[in-house]
Amino acid sequence: QRFPFGIEMLDKITGGGISPKTLTVFLGGTGSGKTLVKTHLASQYIKQGFDVLYITMEMAQERIAERVDANLLDIDLDQIRHLPRESFNAKIEKMMNSTRNFGRLVIKEYPTSGAHVGNFRGLLRELKIKKRFSPQIIILDYLNICASNRVKWTANMNTYVYIKSIAEEIRGFAVECNVPVITSSQLNREGFMSSDPDLSNISESFGLPATADLMLAIVAKEDNGGQLMFKQLKNRYADPTSNKKFIIGVDRSKMKLYDVNQMAQDDMVDT
């Protein structure tokens, strides 16, 4: 089974999308668009008919919901907050009627570093009993600010060990639940300033890429003209040297990603 991204280049490098029991990690600096990518994917998956669980520890669940609404309704994020309730409900109803099989989205907020995979297992049991909701895709925002279920944080704790433990637990959670998990992590200062980051620019722990199945760096420049450059750092689906760098269009006002023309991709092709 595959879960297509709905973005041509992302589907191309994964052979049609991500599969269950995998961990996908988007890397980027502060403000590069990691949450934008994850909320866009959440919107795309529920439009494809998949049930999605979005776990957030960084941003309030209301802010995540706003971003998903802006994407689904094709409205600027600023206008969402001032939209009358009647207009909002009418747009939601029209959107759901236009799609035959519409998935469900549940957003759950935890305090920063206040939850681990044990809490997530409890959440899934609760959702299954109370809402008859069993997610097919889990999006986690984001890995580094989860807690570890096995290792207790101490003042002299090695971050390599701690973050690697969290990554292994979350990938084990994906295998246990038979779902793909999509999350993100930070680049260090050097990687944030670089236009060509690599695995050495991952912050806190080099144990993370050892665990992930797909790892993509997001390179955002101030004068990018509405585009994000993605670079493959690790790919267990295909050869990561093929289409190593590629461009995806971004509309930040509507929290959307879109395909760009082939000419933009040709400029990225490695000789």
Side-chain angles (χ1 to χ4, degrees):
Q1 184 183 10
R2 289 299 175 99
F3 298 91
F5 289 100
I7 297 290
E8 182 183 356
M9 288 305 298
L10 291 176
D11 289 336
K12 185 175 181 180
I13 65 170
T14 54
I18 53 177
S19 55
K21 305 180 183 179
T22 57
L23 178 63
T24 299
V25 181
F26 290 96
L27 286 170
T30 303
S32 60
K34 300 187 298 298
T35 303
L36 186 153
V37 171
K38 286 176 290 189
T39 51
H40 172 84
L41 292 178
S43 305
Q44 289 303 304
Y45 285 132
I46 60 175
K47 284 166 72 174
Q48 292 175 35
F50 299 118
D51 290 338
V52 179
L53 172 62
Y54 196 114
I55 300 172
T56 175
M57 297 187 181
E58 184 179 39
M59 192 177 291
Q61 61 187 25
E62 292 82 10
R63 302 287 81 77
I64 297 295
E66 278 182 349
R67 290 170 174 236
V68 173
D69 287 340
N71 184 298
L72 289 174
L73 301 178
D74 200 32
I75 300 175
D76 286 358
L77 188 62
D78 294 335
Q79 295 178 9
I80 283 281
R81 297 163 189 157
H82 306 293
L83 200 65
R85 180 178 291 273
E86 296 76 16
S87 301
F88 179 80
N89 290 337
K91 287 179 180 292
I92 290 287
E93 188 175 349
K94 180 181 177 182
M95 176 189 63
M96 295 189 72
N97 290 335
S98 65
T99 306
R100 186 176 302 173
N101 185 21
F102 211 82
R104 291 191 291 168
L105 172 67
V106 170
I107 304 171
K108 176 63 176 177
E109 180 185 353
Y110 286 101
T112 301
S113 299
H116 49 67
V117 292
N119 301 106
F120 303 156
R121 289 190 190 100
L123 173 64
L124 290 188
R125 287 195 295 269
E126 185 180 352
L127 289 173
K128 188 174 183 179
I129 294 169
K130 294 183 177 179
K131 295 189 176 184
R132 296 182 181 179
F133 178 87
S134 295
Q136 295 158 286
I137 296 161
I138 296 175
I139 300 178
L140 177 62
D141 193 5
Y142 65 97
L143 186 140
N144 293 53
I145 54 176
C146 290
S148 173
N149 193 30
R150 298 180 300 174
V151 180
K152 185 174 177 61
W153 176 260
T154 59
N156 58 351
M157 171 64 70
N158 187 334
T159 56
Y160 172 89
V161 174
Y162 193 72
I163 301 299
K164 189 174 191 298
S165 174
I166 295 172
E168 289 173 349
E169 291 169 21
I170 289 173
R171 193 180 186 282
F173 177 63
V175 174
E176 178 186 322
C177 300
N178 193 31
V179 299
V181 174
I182 300 171
T183 186
S184 59
S185 186
Q186 297 278 358
L187 290 171
N188 59 21
R189 184 182 301 178
E190 182 182 348
F192 178 64
M193 301 298 293
S194 173
S195 60
D196 190 24
D198 55 35
L199 289 176
S200 65
N201 298 129
I202 296 173
S203 67
E204 295 183 316
S205 176
F206 196 71
L208 178 57
T211 311
D213 296 279
L214 176 65
M215 184 167 278
L216 300 172
I218 303 172
V219 184
K221 295 294 181 182
E222 293 181 2
D223 56 344
N224 58 7
Q227 294 180 342
L228 293 176
M229 186 179 84
F230 286 73
K231 180 183 178 182
Q232 294 188 63
L233 301 182
K234 183 180 180 182
N235 188 349
R236 286 179 176 165
Y237 297 98
D239 180 9
T241 60
S242 176
N243 297 298
K244 190 165 188 176
K245 295 179 183 177
F246 54 92
I247 296 291
I248 294 178
V250 57
D251 184 347
R252 291 185 182 272
S253 63
K254 296 178 180 177
M255 295 292 145
K256 274 193 172 185
L257 301 177
Y258 58 89
D259 295 316
V260 297
N261 59 44
Q262 190 58 41
M263 189 179 299
Q265 304 297 355
D266 292 340
D267 295 338
M268 289 287 105
V269 173
D270 298 338
T271 57

